[in-house]
Amino acid sequence: MSLILKVGFSKYYRASETIAAEALPSRFAGERNFSTAIYYLLRQGERSLFHRIKSDECWHFYSGDTLLLHVLEPAGKYYCIKLGSNIYVGETFQFVVPSSSWFAAEPANGTDFSLCGCTVAPGFDFADFELADKQELLDSFPECDEIISRLCKE
């Protein structure tokens, strides 16, 4: 766990086998590993900025307290998922962010840290990663201006 504390995330798994580019949807520009997985630690005051990838991303809660996942779907829908172990207050242990949805993460108020994992299939590749443009998100989701302003790069 000390490595995670230093870097925020740590690669855990990358499948050794790949899927050929011609077997993948056209949004992928080359072959991809079958699957990838990371551990992800966010401490109070840290955040994962709005971004999207071309694959579904399954988030898993492991330890700590509530992590808020903010999701903006291409069709214009916003929702916030609470990852955590307290199912009695609406938290869930896992959630899948649909491919091409914008999403950001942050520990809930009063949370010291959240340790989660992310599994991506087809596997994550930085060629599939896009950091959100703040103004474009604000134009598309004006009702989410406070969240977008807080969780987008200036």
Side-chain angles (χ1 to χ4, degrees):
M1 190 165 184
S2 61
L3 176 63
I4 297 166
L5 291 171
K6 292 179 185 174
V7 298
F9 76 93
S10 179
K11 291 180 193 174
Y12 174 71
Y13 172 75
R14 179 173 293 279
S16 60
E17 294 180 286
T18 58
I19 304 167
E22 53 274 2
L24 291 167
S26 60
R27 67 183 180 267
F28 297 97
E31 70 177 24
R32 295 290 179 270
N33 297 88
F34 284 177
S35 180
T36 57
I38 64 170
Y39 285 114
Y40 202 84
L41 177 77
L42 285 174
R43 293 169 282 214
Q44 188 56 241
E46 297 176 337
R47 61 193 200 264
S48 172
L49 299 177
F50 273 107
H51 63 286
R52 66 180 172 187
I53 62 174
K54 296 178 181 180
S55 298
D56 291 342
E57 182 165 339
C58 184
W59 283 69
H60 316 266
F61 178 80
Y62 296 126
S63 185
D65 290 307
T66 311
L67 182 76
L68 303 177
L69 275 178
H70 301 280
V71 182
L72 299 166
E73 289 189 345
K77 181 180 176 186
Y78 163 79
Y79 50 93
C80 180
I81 299 299
K82 295 177 183 177
L83 283 183
S85 61
N86 191 345
I87 60 172
Y88 301 107
V89 297
E91 296 179 356
T92 186
F93 287 98
Q94 293 183 333
F95 179 77
V96 177
V97 176
S99 66
S100 301
S101 293
W102 295 105
F103 63 101
E106 63 181 340
N109 287 333
T111 295
D112 289 331
F113 74 93
S114 295
L115 176 63
C116 297
C118 299
T119 304
V120 177
F124 177 80
D125 188 296
F126 274 105
D128 302 333
F129 177 89
E130 182 182 1
L131 194 59
D133 178 273
K134 181 179 178 180
Q135 192 55 56
E136 286 179 20
L137 277 190
L138 287 170
D139 291 345
S140 297
F141 299 90
E143 68 282 2
C144 299
D145 62 336
E146 187 275 328
I147 293 164
I148 291 169
S149 294
R150 190 175 74 249
L151 297 172
C152 271
K153 189 175 181 178
E154 288 297 323

